[in-house]
Amino acid sequence: IVADFNKQISKDYDVLVDDLGASYRGLFLIDKEGIVRHQIVNDEPLGRNMDEVVRIVEALQFFEKNGQVCAAGWQKGDAGMVNTAEGVASYLKENADNL
């Protein structure tokens, strides 16, 4: 989380509303290699869900540690899956009752 007093970050990530001199609520999750892995931009009246932000950070950390992807609704402690047809089939077979 950063402050952007000179609005340069807002300009760089295209969330600045020039005529208002303010920014949309932007959240960008950037991995260790500088790749934007997740982004969400909310208009002024919409708030963010910090529990979801934490879940997304944990999912990226899980991927970086294990090399497995996280299924929809993944929570810390859940299994990941290998990003192949066989890996997805295996994951679905093992987790069908929880989906």
Side-chain angles (χ1 to χ4, degrees), residues 1-93:
I1 298 177
V2 299
D4 186 22
F5 294 113
N6 67 5
K7 299 182 177 51
Q8 188 60 52
I9 297 170
S10 298
K11 291 175 190 170
D12 292 346
Y13 285 87
D14 198 28
V15 295
L16 182 64
V17 183
D18 287 315
D19 56 328
L20 293 177
S23 301
Y24 291 124
R25 293 179 173 109
L27 173 73
F28 301 87
L29 182 57
I30 303 168
D31 73 8
K32 296 174 184 177
E33 305 298 321
I35 298 169
V36 176
R37 293 294 187 160
H38 174 78
Q39 69 181 33
I40 188 167
V41 178
N42 293 5
D43 195 0
E44 187 176 334
L46 304 176
R48 289 169 280 190
N49 181 328
M50 292 311 292
D51 292 334
E52 177 64 2
V53 172
V54 170
R55 187 190 77 80
I56 294 294
V57 169
E58 290 172 343
L60 178 58
Q61 291 171 337
F62 178 87
F63 169 73
E64 288 177 339
K65 180 179 179 185
N66 299 292
Q68 295 179 337
V69 299
C70 302
W74 180 93
Q75 296 289 323
K76 187 174 183 177
D78 289 353
M81 64 182 161
V82 177
N83 192 18
T84 63
E86 296 83 11
V88 172
S90 174
Y91 177 86
L92 292 173
K93 181 179 177 184

